Each structure stands twice: as structure tokens, then as C-alpha cells.
Amino acid sequence: MLKIVSVVGARPQFIKAAAVSRVLKSAEGVNEILVHTGQHYDANMSHVFFEELEIPRPDYNLGIGSGTHGAQTGKMLEAIEKVLLEEKPDWVLVYGDTNSTLAGALAAVKLHIPVAHVEAGLRSFNRHMPEEINRVLTDHASDLLFAPTKTAVMNLRHEGIPEERIKLVGDVMYDAALFYGKKAELQSQILNKLGLKPKEYVLATVHRAENTDDPVRLKVIFDALCEIAGEIKVVLPLHPRTREALIKSAMYDKVASSICLTEPVGYLDMVMLEKNARLIATDSGGVQKEAFFYRVPCVTLREETEWVELVELGWNFLTSPISKETIIAGIRYNYINHDRSEHYPYGKGNSAEKVLHFLLK
């Protein structure tokens, strides 16, 4: 029996884990132990995801919650170590680039338990992003690195990662997009609830600390979105951190009167909003890809992206959030521009099967 401990903690990881866990569950001789760190603990950002994605309830819910990067990662490291000492798995599987990812990898490697990293090799080359530090450290601690794209493979090679550790498997989020996109069409009522018509709104998400914790960038982004909302409806599921920042900066009332704000939505509702948007404006790595999967143009509110392929293919437009005019111009241009490549760089929707293959091998 192959025992695998999977560590998750945030919404993007729930999605990736759903695709892989479904394959692990169907495999003979594999036992998966699911550990939820509690990094995303709001009901709309955690519990509903497990229900909609049909992920088994976590075997361990560590309930760490929020905190500074050091405090949160340290608490996770201590709690995950206790789980690993008790379970003694053959592999620890970590996803993406959050503090949960790094804590899971560090706890395992210090106990000499092999680590496999799903979504390895992504680089924004911006060391000011905590996610970038998490990615790099996790990759260099891992024994198997599951890269989603050829670009990710090249990044790992350039950093001297041994070739035998690198496995090009494609993107497990594409697996999830194919599976749950159909389910969302059948189950989600979010368009009716918000009075939205397909292709007649912009979907926005803003949550990264570099945007929410910088008052200047926060004002620039939301001034731009409010102005765009005068031309086309803007829908924004509001992250708790962003809500607090808007209230603190005395911008909340203005934003709420211009933009259609909602609470954080479940995964199937988010998929439905993404699929039917005319354009998506976001600072999220996962949403950038989901926009591409559903063939919706995306304006990324950052200086760089890990998903350089999307920029090269014309589906993703990088817009530095340093001026309102730049953001508005980027959204307006991509709202009407349709010159985009049909090339698909993320595999064929069978990435989870490849992950299982290499773990067994």
C-alpha cells in the first residue's frame, strides 16, 4: 500500500487536489491522507469548495488560520510534522506556492520523507512576492517536480535541478476545468442571482498583498474598475483582505456603489462567472489560467506573471497597477481585441494520471 499525505490550505490548492485526489482514490493500492492547514478558513473559501469539488473531508484539519508569514508558516510546520510522524507516509504531495506548500515540503524533507511538488517550476522572477520564495524553496526541497509546461521545465533546468527529478505532466488545473466546467453549467445559478447576461460584464478579482496592502496601488486599481463600471458592469467577489483594505482606506462606499460586489463565491459559481465573462481582470495566478481554459481574455494587474505562455499567446495582458489610465486602456483594448492564438500549452487534461504514474513508478 502506497501512503500519500497531501497538504492543502488555499482555494487554488483545493482545485488542484480535487483533480489528483479523484485519480488517487480510483487507484488500487494507494491510500491518500488529506491534510488541510486551515490557511483559508472562511466557509465560502474552504468548506464549500470541499463539497462542490467532491473532495473527501480532510483527515486532519489543522485550523492554523491567518497570521504573519513567519508565524503562519511556523505553526503549519509544527502541526504538519506531528501528522507526518504519526502517519509515516511514503510521499508528501504539495501544491502550488502558498505558505501551506512550503510548510508541507519543509516538514517532510526534515523527516527524510520524499516530497512531490505539483505545479513546479513556475517563476515570476520577483523575489518580493512571498509566493515566489515559496515556489523556489519548495522546488529545491522536492524529490519529484511535476511541471505544468515546457517553460517550467526550462526554469528548473536553469536552476540546476537534476533532470531525473523533473517530470512534464501538464496542468492539473486543466483537468479540473474540463471536469467542473460541465458541472457548473448544470448546477450554478449565479448568473440569475446577480442578474448577469453572458459576455456583458467584466469579472474582477483582487487579493494579492502587493495590491491590497499598498494604498496607492489599491486606489489606482479600484479607481480604474469604478470608471470601467460606468461603461460595462463589473462583478467582483470580494476577498476578506481586500474588503478590510477598502474600508481602511475609506474607499469601500465608493466601490460598493459602482461595482457589483459579492461575498467570496464557491468554485462552481466562480467557474460560471469566468466562463461567461467578456473579460477578466485579476491579480490571481489561478484565475489567469482558468480564463484561458474558458477562452476569456484576461488583464493581469501585476508587473509579471508565472504564466508567460498566456502573454505570448495573446490571452493574457500584463498591466502594471501604477496608473488608472494604464489599467483602463488595457481593459478597453482587450475587451474588443480578438487576435489570439489557439495553441494549448497545458497538456490534454490527463495530468493527474501522469502524477499518479510517476508516484507509483
Side-chain angles (χ1 to χ4, degrees):
M1 178 66 72
L2 183 73
K3 182 185 279 192
I4 299 170
V5 165
S6 297
V7 179
V8 296
R11 281 170 61 144
Q13 294 168 329
F14 305 153
I15 300 165
K16 296 161 197 166
V20 176
S21 293
R22 192 165 61 250
V23 171
L24 297 181
K25 186 178 179 181
S26 65
E28 190 174 341
V30 176
N31 177 27
E32 183 187 29
I33 307 296
L34 191 61
V35 177
H36 180 6
T37 64
Q39 184 169 340
H40 277 178
Y41 50 88
D42 179 273
N44 285 336
M45 302 186 75
S46 182
H47 303 317
V48 69
F49 263 52
F50 282 86
E51 293 171 6
E52 293 183 341
L53 294 168
E54 298 175 350
I55 307 174
R57 285 292 172 185
D59 299 278
Y60 295 87
N61 196 326
L62 305 182
I64 302 300
S66 60
T68 64
H69 284 288
Q72 187 183 62
T73 307
K75 290 174 184 176
M76 289 176 182
L77 180 57
E78 180 181 13
I80 293 169
E81 182 181 62
K82 291 178 181 177
V83 173
L84 299 184
L85 287 169
E86 182 175 336
E87 294 291 346
K88 298 179 174 59
D90 301 292
W91 282 97
V92 170
L93 195 58
V94 296
Y95 295 84
D97 56 18
T98 70
N99 290 340
S100 300
T101 312
L102 179 59
L106 286 176
V109 76
K110 286 180 175 290
L111 293 173
H112 308 294
I113 300 169
V115 180
H117 184 201
V118 174
E119 207 177 72
L122 300 189
R123 297 293 183 268
S124 68
F125 302 102
N126 178 0
R127 289 296 183 101
H128 292 289
M129 291 174 59
E131 295 87 355
E132 183 78 353
I133 302 302
N134 291 343
R135 292 181 197 120
V136 173
L137 294 178
T138 299
D139 281 343
H140 284 264
S142 296
D143 300 271
L144 270 180
L145 296 101
F146 295 125
T149 64
K150 292 179 181 178
T151 303
V153 169
M154 292 305 299
N155 288 337
L156 295 171
R157 286 174 178 163
H158 289 157
E159 293 177 14
I161 302 288
E163 193 70 30
E164 63 271 15
R165 295 185 184 180
I166 304 170
K167 308 297 177 186
L168 177 61
V169 298
D171 196 326
V172 297
M173 283 192 74
Y174 184 41
D175 297 21
L178 293 175
F179 184 83
Y180 294 106
K182 298 173 184 175
K183 191 175 179 183
E185 294 282 354
L186 296 172
Q187 295 188 20
S188 174
Q189 297 297 317
I190 191 70
L191 297 187
N192 290 335
K193 180 180 176 182
L194 297 180
L196 301 174
K197 294 181 179 179
K199 305 306 175 186
E200 292 188 8
Y201 63 91
V202 169
L203 174 65
T205 75
V206 180
H207 79 279
R208 284 192 181 272
E210 67 211 62
N211 287 333
T212 61
D213 296 356
D214 182 330
V216 174
R217 290 167 75 106
L218 185 77
K219 184 176 186 335
V220 163
I221 290 170
F222 279 95
D223 280 349
L225 292 176
C226 286
E227 186 162 328
I228 286 292
E231 305 168 22
I232 179 174
K233 193 164 190 173
V234 176
V235 179
L236 192 147
L238 195 55
H239 190 286
R241 177 196 292 146
T242 313
R243 179 186 293 276
E244 290 177 14
L246 289 172
I247 292 172
K248 183 178 179 181
S249 63
M251 292 181 63
Y252 181 82
D253 289 343
K254 174 191 173 183
V255 171
S257 66
S258 303
I259 295 173
C260 176
L261 298 180
T262 76
E263 294 296 317
V265 297
Y267 180 59
L268 297 182
D269 284 344
M270 189 63 181
V271 165
M272 200 66 176
L273 289 172
E274 290 169 344
K275 290 185 71 171
N276 289 281
R278 177 72 176 267
L279 178 140
I280 294 174
T282 186
D283 60 8
S284 161
V287 173
Q288 291 173 47
K289 277 193 301 175
E290 287 168 343
F292 173 73
F293 297 153
Y294 300 127
R295 288 301 196 253
V296 177
C298 181
V299 172
T300 295
L301 305 170
R302 286 162 53 186
E303 283 85 4
E304 73 293 300
T305 179
E306 310 84 86
W307 305 104
V308 293
E309 303 86 4
L310 300 182
V311 177
E312 294 165 358
L313 294 173
W315 287 92
N316 193 351
F317 188 85
L318 282 176
T319 304
S320 179
I322 56 173
S323 85
K324 179 181 76 170
E325 291 72 24
T326 301
I327 296 174
I328 291 172
I331 292 175
R332 284 176 177 159
Y333 172 77
N334 286 278
Y335 190 78
I336 59 174
N337 177 45
H338 299 288
D339 184 20
R340 301 178 180 94
S341 170
E342 292 302 310
H343 177 62
Y344 246 95
Y346 296 116
K348 299 179 180 179
N350 62 343
S351 301
E353 284 88 351
K354 291 183 178 181
V355 167
L356 173 63
H357 168 76
F358 288 116
L359 288 173
L360 291 172
K361 188 177 179 181

